[in-house]
Amino acid sequence: MRLKNISVIILLLTMTALAACQPDVKEGSDATDTATQASGKPNAPVTFKGSYSFAPGAKIFQFCNQTKQFWAVDSSAQLELKYSQLITFEQSGTPVYTEVEGYKIKSAATGDAAAYDSTIVVKKVLKLTKDLPADCK
């Protein structure tokens, strides 16, 4: 009986230790850098061109000439900063043209991103301007 109790305690401690080792991935954290494709390899950055808008509860990326929108996660810590330098708080939500490097992942099942099928994880901001090009509406 005593051996059984010790075995149960060891099992519980092992399960607790394993659970504690799991990364806690939060939106915008560096832990999103570890997102992987189905192959198990890290996602390679891709250049995305389109519009970006930021408002409380809305961080939206949309490819040029497409209607589908994506949730945007700013792991570069530059996208939201540069956006706020171009657009005043009163104008928040106004789209700007952007070129970014990043990758696309499946959106989280909960939170604001849950309303979108996919999330664009921004690793680097290449260009951000108020002027949307004619071929990007």
Side-chain angles (χ1 to χ4, degrees), residues 39 45 60 66 77 112 114 120:
S39 66
I60 311 300
Q66 294 186 12
D112 293 328
I120 302 292

Side-chain angles (χ1 to χ4, degrees), residues 52 74 76-87 96 98 124-129:
Y52 171 75
D74 182 18
S76 72
Q78 292 298 306
L79 184 60
E80 292 173 21
L81 174 65
K82 290 181 178 186
Y83 181 88
S84 67
Q85 291 170 343
L86 284 178
I87 303 296
V96 296
T98 188
K124 182 177 182 182
V125 177
L126 303 173
K127 181 177 184 177
L128 194 110
T129 179

Side-chain angles (χ1 to χ4, degrees), residues 9-81:
I9 291 172
I10 290 173
L11 178 63
L12 289 174
L13 288 173
T14 302
M15 289 174 48
T16 303
L18 289 174
C21 292
Q22 296 299 317
D24 184 16
V25 178
K26 292 193 175 20
E27 176 188 315
S29 71
D30 289 338
T32 57
D33 296 348
T34 62
T36 57
Q37 299 171 340
S39 66
K41 296 179 182 174
N43 290 312
V46 177
T47 300
F48 297 114
K49 298 178 182 182
S51 65
Y52 171 75
S53 59
F54 175 76
K59 301 172 185 180
I60 311 300
F61 181 88
Q62 185 173 338
F63 290 108
C64 290
N65 302 316
Q66 294 186 12
T67 57
K68 187 173 182 180
Q69 296 181 329
F70 301 87
W71 187 253
V73 172
D74 182 18
S75 69
S76 72
Q78 292 298 306
L79 184 60
E80 292 173 21
L81 174 65

